[in-house]
Amino acid sequence: MPIIINLDKILAERGMKSNELADKIGITAANLSILKTGKAKAIRFSTLEAICEVLDCQPGDILEYTQN
Amino acid sequence: MKSSEWLKNIFSIAYYLMIIGWIILFGFLLYAIFISPGDILEILRDAEEFKIKSKNALYTSLAYELSSSGVWIYILYLFKNLMKDLIFRPLFTSLQIASFKLIGQLIILITIVDALSIFVFKTIFQGRLELSFELFDFWFVIAIGLFLIFLSQIFDQARIIKEENELTV
């Protein structure tokens, strides 16, 4: 998939763990793992909004487009 | 009782009745081969599709009927299992998609082979060239087979949508 999720990078920069983020945005750790590993087919605006709010970042910091 | 369970029970009853019918037919064939073909010839003399007059015609038609009904038994077995799967497991699984497709293909195949076999039997045993595709016997069953294949394609699309839905975070 040409869309890359940079969640690990942002989490490392903020010094936050995945479980903590999952708790704060109200999704399961399993679903967050699906997102982090690039297996997700889609992301809801509400989830993206919650991630941006908790990590204090822009959607573009998390999602990156690369050509195959 | 739910309609799906009624349907499952109907398929189960039809399946076991077909097995009993198959065993009786097999008994007819064994009786004709080893004991007295004359008795069986007498019973089947005025068969619906074509008249069975010789021993060869009797053996061939009985052997063909056994193979044909064997395929129908397998179709009912697949239907029975499919209904069980649809009732007790999650919907749109690969097994359900494959089952619908296989059942549809088998129904179409056996219906065409049945029609051709009657044509061949009439030609060989009665010297009559006659090919008939009656509305209910042929086209209706073919339509059911095609519908099941179409249903398998719908289930396949539904599986993709379900997968996408499950992988939406």
Side-chain angles (χ1 to χ4, degrees):
Chain A
M1 204 183 205
I3 301 287
I4 294 171
I5 310 287
N6 288 321
L7 206 53
D8 271 334
K9 198 174 118 192
I10 307 284
L11 279 171
E13 281 173 12
R14 304 288 187 274
M16 194 185 280
K17 294 212 165 120
S18 296
N19 287 345
E20 197 184 338
L21 177 66
D23 276 347
K24 282 185 177 172
I25 63 174
I27 64 169
T28 62
N31 272 347
L32 189 65
S33 171
I34 288 170
L35 185 63
K36 274 169 58 186
T37 51
K39 287 178 188 163
K41 296 267 183 187
I43 179 166
R44 289 188 189 93
F45 277 145
S46 57
T47 310
L48 193 58
E49 188 187 322
I51 292 172
C52 290
E53 194 183 326
V54 171
L55 296 177
D56 188 26
C57 64
Q58 292 298 312
D61 298 332
I62 300 162
L63 305 173
E64 185 189 333
Y65 172 75
T66 52
Q67 274 187 323
N68 278 332
Chain B
M1 193 185 271
K2 283 193 290 180
S3 59
S4 54
E5 282 180 13
W6 270 103
L7 192 60
K8 182 173 79 78
N9 290 342
I10 288 170
F11 279 128
S12 295
I13 292 165
Y15 171 69
Y16 292 114
L17 285 177
M18 281 282 284
I19 288 179
I20 293 167
W22 193 89
I23 292 168
I24 291 169
L25 208 60
F26 188 60
F28 271 29
L29 182 65
L30 291 180
Y31 187 88
I33 292 171
F34 296 111
I35 301 171
S36 165
D39 295 345
I40 307 294
L41 267 174
E42 198 56 44
I43 296 169
L44 301 175
R45 190 165 293 279
D46 293 319
E48 205 176 301
E49 297 295 348
F50 61 96
K51 289 192 168 100
I52 299 168
K53 289 173 186 165
S54 67
K55 271 200 279 184
N56 279 342
L58 177 70
Y59 297 149
T60 315
S61 58
L62 279 179
Y64 174 76
E65 275 303 320
L66 278 173
S67 344
S68 171
S69 51
V71 175
W72 280 110
I73 288 170
Y74 182 59
I75 289 170
L76 283 173
Y77 171 77
L78 288 173
F79 252 126
K80 199 167 69 80
N81 285 353
L82 178 62
M83 283 310 299
K84 219 184 283 177
D85 203 64
L86 285 170
I87 293 170
F88 298 112
R89 288 185 191 179
L91 288 172
F92 315 125
T93 60
S94 301
L95 177 75
Q96 291 161 6
I97 295 162
S99 295
F100 272 126
K101 194 175 175 186
L102 181 62
I103 292 168
Q105 287 170 340
L106 281 175
I107 285 176
I108 292 171
L109 181 77
I110 198 67
T111 309
I112 292 171
V113 171
D114 268 348
L116 289 176
S117 73
I118 291 167
F119 168 74
V120 170
F121 287 165
K122 276 180 182 168
T123 312
I124 294 172
F125 299 124
Q126 291 179 345
R128 240 170 67 197
L129 273 174
E130 186 186 314
L131 186 61
S132 65
F133 299 110
E134 285 170 26
L135 185 67
F136 189 82
D137 286 352
F138 188 81
W139 297 112
F140 186 71
V141 185
I142 291 280
I144 288 173
L146 287 172
F147 178 73
L148 288 170
I149 293 173
F150 177 57
L151 202 58
S152 84
Q153 289 165 355
I154 292 172
F155 262 57
D156 199 26
Q157 285 297 313
R159 184 186 57 84
I160 293 167
I161 293 167
K162 189 186 170 195
E163 200 177 277
E164 278 185 4
N165 191 40
E166 281 169 355
L167 289 174
T168 296
V169 179

